[in-house]
Amino acid sequence: MSLIPPHGGTLVDRILKGDAAAKASQEAKNLKNITLSPREAFDLEMIAIGAFSPLVGFLGEQDFARVCREMRLANGVVWPIPVILSPADEVTAKINVGERVALNDPKGRLLAVMSVTEKYRHDKDLEIPNVYKTTDDAHPGVKIVRGQGNFNLAGPIDVITPTHEPEFPEYRLPPAKTREAFAAKGWSTVAAFQTRNPIHRSHEYLTKVALEMTDGLLIHPLVGETKSDDIPAETRMACYQTLVDLYYNKDKTMLTVMPLAMRYAGPREAVLHTIIRKNYGVTHFIVGRDHAGVGNYYGTYDAQKIFDQFDLPKDLGVTILKFEHTAWCNKCEAVVSTKTCPHGPADKVAPSGTKVREMLKAGQRPPQEFSRPEVADILIKWAQLAE
Ligand SMILES: [Zn+2]
């Protein structure tokens, strides 16, 4: 039995152990320090634990340019979105190539030491239209890039503490640990489902269809930085755990979290999500409609079509499970898609997001064909407190 190899061949581990960590902490006291943005801090953790393998640090200029233009690192390995360190210009002005610098989290606590190998102009005019397919400042990903510095610092990182505030520590398994768990369970094929929303009946269906094809299922919600109007991670985790407890075969299902900061880059982000899951040991990745999108910047199925640009077995090695929009059909008495059901929209139970929020605020469960009652009750509690 063998697991899928990590992206680029080697699972990265940039976390210093024992004496090396103590030495680096000591060294950091005499170094200039950089306070990371929330996104940079999440990226540092993703690099540290190997979720961003083969990256060992923040991208240099050649990697940055080729990632923006061609979705590849300079060495040809597929990588869709720049992972960069882009502090304010007055901070980078004081840092020289060849120096070691301390990297602190947004609250000023030491995370890592970095060897600065490059300092280069942050070409936002190359990054924004290529990665986000829009230059609209109202796009949350574009807005973040515009607010970043005009220079990037690159170099490998040696991490002392990946994060000082691990949300959901019991669910926060790094790639090495999910891989161990899959091996222990005897799973060589694993389907993963990415989500930043509560799981309702239609998505429960997708995950179960996927599991019919694989040895195991990883429900892998994102708990890194999201938009302020997304449902809080704590509420979502309660929904996921309740659903797994009551409606999934626990021997075949794992629930763990991923500390990634969303970019909302739609298609390119779907590729990033796939690479990350491969590093966690996943072989089959579910990509539904509007994956990782926001507003109307991307076509409904753009995040599926982008994979056609790759030689999938060679470039990614993950099977992409592309799903149509699904909903409960009263005539079929099942969750269906346009692929599997001949009936029209009038037969579907598909209340709008706005309608669902109204019902929850009023203390009403949405129809059970849309949402499991136990999940609805958790959301009602949240919606009423959020008032
Ligand atoms: Zn039908």
Side-chain angles (χ1 to χ4, degrees):
M1 207 216 60
S2 66
L3 295 172
I4 186 172
H7 195 54
T10 309
L11 194 64
V12 168
D13 176 2
R14 299 300 299 184
I15 304 173
L16 297 169
K17 315 287 184 297
D19 282 357
K23 239 178 103 186
S25 302
Q26 201 53 40
E27 180 197 3
K29 289 179 184 161
N30 301 313
L31 298 175
K32 293 171 195 164
N33 60 67
I34 297 175
T35 302
L36 302 184
S37 70
R39 175 194 286 189
E40 289 162 349
F42 280 115
D43 286 353
L44 177 138
E45 181 178 1
M46 293 291 279
I47 296 168
I49 64 177
F52 274 170
S53 296
L55 306 191
V56 295
F58 293 98
L59 294 190
E61 187 167 21
Q62 280 191 313
D63 284 330
F64 172 84
R66 192 162 178 201
V67 165
C68 291
R69 290 198 182 99
E70 297 174 51
M71 292 198 282
R72 286 179 193 273
L73 299 170
N75 65 7
V77 170
V78 171
W79 197 272
I81 297 181
V83 174
I84 49 175
L85 176 57
S86 214
D89 293 356
E90 61 269 25
V91 175
T92 20
K94 293 181 195 144
I95 311 278
N96 302 307
V97 171
E99 251 184 296
R100 303 244 305 152
V101 292
L103 303 181
N104 295 341
D105 75 4
K107 291 185 181 164
R109 295 166 296 193
L110 178 66
L111 295 171
V113 172
M114 170 171 152
S115 304
V116 180
T117 53
E118 284 180 62
K119 174 158 118 179
Y120 62 97
R121 195 174 67 83
H122 181 185
D123 191 345
K124 299 181 184 182
D125 294 332
L126 178 66
E127 180 178 3
I128 291 170
N130 275 301
V131 173
Y132 297 96
K133 305 294 170 210
T134 174
T135 53
D136 184 356
D137 287 345
H139 184 294
V142 172
K143 195 173 155 195
I144 285 186
V145 177
R146 293 247 195 257
Q148 288 177 321
N150 293 303
F151 294 88
N152 296 333
L153 297 172
I157 54 174
D158 295 312
V159 179
I160 298 149
T161 307
T163 173
H164 290 279
E165 286 176 11
E167 262 190 307
F168 314 107
E170 68 279 26
Y171 293 102
R172 210 178 183 94
L173 260 56
K177 295 285 177 198
T178 55
R179 285 173 168 271
E180 266 174 35
F182 296 165
K185 290 168 190 286
W187 299 352
S188 59
T189 56
V190 183
F193 182 62
Q194 140 80 32
T195 180
R196 60 178 203 272
N197 292 306
I199 297 180
H200 296 301
R201 296 292 298 274
S202 62
H203 288 133
E204 179 186 331
Y205 168 77
L206 301 190
T207 58
K208 288 180 174 178
V209 170
L211 180 53
E212 294 290 358
M213 294 179 253
T214 55
D215 301 329
L217 170 70
L218 177 66
I219 297 176
H220 210 207
L222 183 146
V223 296
E225 200 186 23
T226 52
K227 293 192 277 83
S228 53
D229 58 342
D230 284 347
I231 294 177
E234 246 173 55
T235 303
R236 291 188 287 120
M237 284 309 291
C239 293
Y240 303 140
Q241 189 59 65
T242 298
L243 198 63
V244 170
D245 287 344
L246 298 176
Y247 295 101
Y248 284 79
N249 177 347
K250 286 184 110 176
D251 296 336
K252 295 286 174 194
T253 309
M254 265 179 71
L255 170 62
T256 68
V257 300
M258 173 183 73
L260 176 72
M262 280 295 290
R263 269 74 175 173
Y264 300 96
R268 280 197 181 217
E269 188 145 0
V271 178
L272 182 65
H273 288 170
T274 304
I275 290 171
I276 293 166
R277 271 32 178 261
K278 178 183 173 185
N279 287 326
Y280 278 90
V282 163
T283 53
H284 292 63
F285 187 57
I286 297 170
V287 178
R289 66 206 278 271
D290 294 323
H291 188 103
V294 63
N296 295 316
Y297 295 101
Y298 311 106
T300 305
Y301 295 104
D302 284 2
Q304 298 181 348
K305 287 182 202 147
I306 194 169
F307 290 95
D308 298 342
Q309 299 179 32
F310 299 110
D311 176 350
L312 272 184
K314 186 165 152 276
D315 284 336
L316 290 169
V318 174
T319 302
I320 306 300
L321 302 173
K322 301 175 183 176
F323 284 102
E324 301 275 327
H325 179 45
T326 54
W328 180 272
C329 172
N330 283 325
K331 286 219 172 93
C332 293
E333 295 187 314
V335 177
V336 298
S337 72
T338 49
K339 217 170 163 182
T340 56
C341 150
H343 309 115
D347 297 309
K348 302 296 182 323
V349 181
S352 70
T354 314
K355 173 76 189 159
V356 170
R357 288 215 179 190
E358 273 172 25
M359 293 187 76
L360 295 173
K361 272 185 189 165
Q364 295 165 0
R365 289 175 178 167
Q368 61 169 358
E369 294 84 358
F370 173 79
S371 187
R372 297 286 186 188
E374 298 86 352
V375 171
D377 288 349
I378 295 168
L379 293 173
I380 285 172
K381 246 188 234 163
W382 161 75
Q384 295 193 327
L385 282 175
E387 271 304 86

